[in-house]
mmCIF file of all heavy atoms in Angstrom:
data_model
loop_
_atom_site.group_PDB
_atom_site.id
_atom_site.type_symbol
_atom_site.label_atom_id
_atom_site.label_comp_id
_atom_site.label_asym_id
_atom_site.label_seq_id
_atom_site.Cartn_x
_atom_site.Cartn_y
_atom_site.Cartn_z
ATOM 1 N N LEU A 42 203.716 162.362 203.570
ATOM 2 C CA LEU A 42 202.265 162.497 203.518
ATOM 3 C C LEU A 42 201.802 162.898 202.116
ATOM 4 O O LEU A 42 200.806 162.381 201.612
ATOM 5 C CB LEU A 42 201.794 163.514 204.562
ATOM 6 C CG LEU A 42 200.295 163.620 204.795
ATOM 7 C CD1 LEU A 42 199.723 162.278 205.221
ATOM 8 C CD2 LEU A 42 200.013 164.663 205.849
ATOM 9 N N VAL A 43 202.537 163.792 201.470
ATOM 10 C CA VAL A 43 202.216 164.164 200.085
ATOM 11 C C VAL A 43 202.393 162.966 199.162
ATOM 12 O O VAL A 43 201.587 162.738 198.248
ATOM 13 C CB VAL A 43 203.082 165.365 199.638
ATOM 14 C CG1 VAL A 43 202.975 165.592 198.146
ATOM 15 C CG2 VAL A 43 202.656 166.619 200.387
ATOM 16 N N ALA A 44 203.432 162.165 199.397
ATOM 17 C CA ALA A 44 203.634 160.960 198.587
ATOM 18 C C ALA A 44 202.478 159.977 198.743
ATOM 19 O O ALA A 44 202.055 159.344 197.771
ATOM 20 C CB ALA A 44 204.949 160.292 198.961
ATOM 21 N N CYS A 45 201.932 159.869 199.955
ATOM 22 C CA CYS A 45 200.766 159.012 200.168
ATOM 23 C C CYS A 45 199.562 159.527 199.384
ATOM 24 O O CYS A 45 198.825 158.757 198.773
ATOM 25 C CB CYS A 45 200.417 158.933 201.648
ATOM 26 S SG CYS A 45 201.572 157.983 202.632
ATOM 27 N N ALA A 46 199.369 160.837 199.387
ATOM 28 C CA ALA A 46 198.245 161.417 198.645
ATOM 29 C C ALA A 46 198.418 161.225 197.143
ATOM 30 O O ALA A 46 197.455 160.910 196.439
ATOM 31 C CB ALA A 46 198.115 162.901 198.977
ATOM 32 N N VAL A 47 199.634 161.398 196.654
ATOM 33 C CA VAL A 47 199.889 161.212 195.221
ATOM 34 C C VAL A 47 199.670 159.753 194.834
ATOM 35 O O VAL A 47 199.092 159.463 193.783
ATOM 36 C CB VAL A 47 201.315 161.685 194.863
ATOM 37 C CG1 VAL A 47 201.716 161.246 193.476
ATOM 38 C CG2 VAL A 47 201.400 163.198 194.983
ATOM 39 N N SER A 48 200.124 158.818 195.673
ATOM 40 C CA SER A 48 199.912 157.408 195.358
ATOM 41 C C SER A 48 198.428 157.067 195.353
ATOM 42 O O SER A 48 197.985 156.218 194.588
ATOM 43 C CB SER A 48 200.663 156.520 196.344
ATOM 44 O OG SER A 48 200.060 156.571 197.613
ATOM 45 N N PHE A 49 197.660 157.729 196.201
ATOM 46 C CA PHE A 49 196.214 157.517 196.201
ATOM 47 C C PHE A 49 195.608 157.922 194.863
ATOM 48 O O PHE A 49 194.717 157.268 194.351
ATOM 49 C CB PHE A 49 195.577 158.324 197.333
ATOM 50 C CG PHE A 49 194.093 158.179 197.415
ATOM 51 C CD1 PHE A 49 193.531 157.031 197.930
ATOM 52 C CD2 PHE A 49 193.261 159.194 196.979
ATOM 53 C CE1 PHE A 49 192.156 156.895 198.014
ATOM 54 C CE2 PHE A 49 191.883 159.057 197.055
ATOM 55 C CZ PHE A 49 191.335 157.906 197.576
ATOM 56 N N LEU A 50 196.116 159.005 194.282
ATOM 57 C CA LEU A 50 195.570 159.492 193.014
ATOM 58 C C LEU A 50 196.087 158.713 191.810
ATOM 59 O O LEU A 50 195.381 158.568 190.818
ATOM 60 C CB LEU A 50 195.915 160.976 192.848
ATOM 61 C CG LEU A 50 195.304 161.912 193.887
ATOM 62 C CD1 LEU A 50 195.845 163.314 193.694
ATOM 63 C CD2 LEU A 50 193.793 161.884 193.793
ATOM 64 N N MET A 51 197.310 158.185 191.870
ATOM 65 C CA MET A 51 197.930 157.592 190.692
ATOM 66 C C MET A 51 197.836 156.072 190.632
ATOM 67 O O MET A 51 197.742 155.501 189.554
ATOM 68 C CB MET A 51 199.406 158.002 190.630
ATOM 69 C CG MET A 51 199.598 159.472 190.386
ATOM 70 S SD MET A 51 201.329 159.947 190.319
ATOM 71 C CE MET A 51 201.895 159.028 188.913
ATOM 72 N N TYR A 52 197.909 155.403 191.770
ATOM 73 C CA TYR A 52 198.008 153.950 191.767
ATOM 74 C C TYR A 52 196.663 153.289 191.499
ATOM 75 O O TYR A 52 195.649 153.704 191.991
ATOM 76 C CB TYR A 52 198.545 153.457 193.113
ATOM 77 C CG TYR A 52 198.893 151.998 193.108
ATOM 78 C CD1 TYR A 52 200.043 151.552 192.486
ATOM 79 C CD2 TYR A 52 198.064 151.068 193.699
ATOM 80 C CE1 TYR A 52 200.358 150.216 192.470
ATOM 81 C CE2 TYR A 52 198.371 149.732 193.691
ATOM 82 C CZ TYR A 52 199.519 149.305 193.076
ATOM 83 O OH TYR A 52 199.827 147.975 193.049
ATOM 84 N N GLY A 53 196.669 152.262 190.727
ATOM 85 C CA GLY A 53 195.471 151.460 190.519
ATOM 86 C C GLY A 53 194.649 151.834 189.305
ATOM 87 O O GLY A 53 193.683 151.154 188.990
ATOM 88 N N ALA A 54 195.008 152.872 188.578
ATOM 89 C CA ALA A 54 194.221 153.272 187.425
ATOM 90 C C ALA A 54 194.413 152.307 186.253
ATOM 91 O O ALA A 54 193.463 151.987 185.539
ATOM 92 C CB ALA A 54 194.589 154.685 186.997
ATOM 93 N N ASP A 55 195.625 151.814 186.057
ATOM 94 C CA ASP A 55 195.923 150.972 184.893
ATOM 95 C C ASP A 55 196.494 149.620 185.295
ATOM 96 O O ASP A 55 197.408 149.113 184.658
ATOM 97 C CB ASP A 55 196.927 151.690 183.985
ATOM 98 C CG ASP A 55 196.382 153.000 183.462
ATOM 99 O OD1 ASP A 55 195.190 153.030 183.120
ATOM 100 O OD2 ASP A 55 197.146 153.977 183.409
ATOM 101 N N LEU A 56 195.968 149.030 186.343
ATOM 102 C CA LEU A 56 196.473 147.738 186.791
ATOM 103 C C LEU A 56 195.904 146.609 185.957
ATOM 104 O O LEU A 56 194.736 146.613 185.575
ATOM 105 C CB LEU A 56 196.089 147.490 188.249
ATOM 106 C CG LEU A 56 196.921 148.153 189.317
ATOM 107 C CD1 LEU A 56 196.384 147.788 190.682
ATOM 108 C CD2 LEU A 56 198.361 147.745 189.200
ATOM 109 N N TYR A 66 197.979 145.457 195.548
ATOM 110 C CA TYR A 66 197.061 146.556 195.808
ATOM 111 C C TYR A 66 196.748 146.660 197.302
ATOM 112 O O TYR A 66 196.825 147.738 197.896
ATOM 113 C CB TYR A 66 195.779 146.336 195.004
ATOM 114 C CG TYR A 66 194.774 147.430 195.109
ATOM 115 C CD1 TYR A 66 194.906 148.588 194.357
ATOM 116 C CD2 TYR A 66 193.672 147.307 195.944
ATOM 117 C CE1 TYR A 66 193.972 149.604 194.445
ATOM 118 C CE2 TYR A 66 192.736 148.311 196.037
ATOM 119 C CZ TYR A 66 192.888 149.451 195.286
ATOM 120 O OH TYR A 66 191.965 150.452 195.378
ATOM 121 N N VAL A 69 199.932 147.709 199.330
ATOM 122 C CA VAL A 69 200.230 149.134 199.169
ATOM 123 C C VAL A 69 199.244 149.981 199.953
ATOM 124 O O VAL A 69 199.636 150.896 200.675
ATOM 125 C CB VAL A 69 200.229 149.529 197.671
ATOM 126 C CG1 VAL A 69 200.188 151.035 197.498
ATOM 127 C CG2 VAL A 69 201.437 148.956 196.978
ATOM 128 N N TRP A 70 197.953 149.673 199.873
ATOM 129 C CA TRP A 70 196.974 150.521 200.545
ATOM 130 C C TRP A 70 196.998 150.373 202.051
ATOM 131 O O TRP A 70 196.751 151.339 202.777
ATOM 132 C CB TRP A 70 195.580 150.298 199.989
ATOM 133 C CG TRP A 70 195.491 150.946 198.675
ATOM 134 C CD1 TRP A 70 195.330 150.338 197.479
ATOM 135 C CD2 TRP A 70 195.644 152.337 198.391
ATOM 136 N NE1 TRP A 70 195.370 151.263 196.476
ATOM 137 C CE2 TRP A 70 195.559 152.494 197.002
ATOM 138 C CE3 TRP A 70 195.866 153.461 199.165
ATOM 139 C CZ2 TRP A 70 195.667 153.736 196.383
ATOM 140 C CZ3 TRP A 70 195.977 154.704 198.551
ATOM 141 C CH2 TRP A 70 195.867 154.823 197.179
ATOM 142 N N VAL A 73 199.943 152.555 202.991
ATOM 143 C CA VAL A 73 199.588 153.976 202.877
ATOM 144 C C VAL A 73 198.681 154.387 204.025
ATOM 145 O O VAL A 73 198.815 155.478 204.583
ATOM 146 C CB VAL A 73 198.931 154.263 201.508
ATOM 147 C CG1 VAL A 73 198.279 155.624 201.472
ATOM 148 C CG2 VAL A 73 199.960 154.151 200.398
#
Side-chain angles (χ1 to χ4, degrees):
L42 189 58
V43 169
C45 288
V47 168
S48 71
F49 180 75
L50 297 174
M51 293 180 63
Y52 190 75
D55 299 320
L56 280 180
Y66 183 80
V69 166
W70 285 114
V73 167

